[in-house]
Amino acid sequence: MTLTPHIMSDKPDSPDGESGIVTETRPKTKRPRLYKVLLLNDDYTPMEFVVHILERFFGLSHAQAFEIMLTVHKKGLAVVGVFSFEVAETKVTQVMDLAHREQHPLQCTMEKE
């Protein structure tokens, strides 16, 4: 909580020359919790499809998408981005829906940052 001092102007100064001070308590707003979106490697999804997903749903350039795809391929997974819960959930759903429609086993998940 943040305490904000305010000088009271509607009361006359006290005999000792000090002004009265009132403190207001304001609730501190919390930043929304962020979530990492992760792509997981598999041995069947074509690399080109992963690059396409990264460009289409995450707005990455071809070079950026290619780098992340290589990270997924070499390390088994990669963080694609960090988003609010709603945005992360939407992106995971978009990736999983397209992968399913194209019959690729690509997995996309999210976890708290």
Side-chain angles (χ1 to χ4, degrees):
M1 300 239 165
T2 306
L3 296 179
T4 308
H6 292 283
I7 301 200
M8 294 171 51
S9 57
D10 58 336
K11 289 193 175 184
D13 287 344
S14 63
D16 58 3
E18 291 183 25
S19 296
I21 295 180
V22 174
T23 56
E24 244 178 50
T25 305
R26 280 192 225 147
K28 191 173 185 179
T29 53
K30 291 183 180 178
R31 289 181 171 243
R33 178 167 260 158
L34 296 176
Y35 291 79
K36 297 184 282 190
V37 174
L38 304 141
L39 275 183
L40 288 77
N41 188 44
D42 64 74
D43 294 331
Y44 303 101
T45 304
M47 292 179 176
E48 298 80 26
F49 181 75
V50 175
V51 170
H52 171 71
I53 290 266
L54 293 168
E55 291 172 342
R56 179 173 175 182
F57 298 124
F58 297 93
L60 300 176
S61 69
H62 185 75
Q64 291 169 320
F66 193 80
E67 282 298 314
I68 290 176
M69 177 275 300
L70 284 179
T71 301
V72 171
H73 181 69
K74 292 176 183 175
K75 295 188 176 183
L77 64 89
V79 175
V80 181
V82 179
F83 309 96
S84 67
F85 178 82
E86 292 79 11
V87 173
E89 185 177 50
T90 299
K91 291 189 180 294
V92 168
T93 300
Q94 290 172 324
V95 169
M96 295 302 294
D97 286 350
L98 184 58
H100 181 73
R101 278 197 311 271
E102 298 290 326
Q103 298 181 344
H104 296 302
L106 181 66
Q107 292 297 304
C108 184
T109 63
M110 60 189 262
E111 65 181 39
K112 291 178 189 173
E113 185 177 49

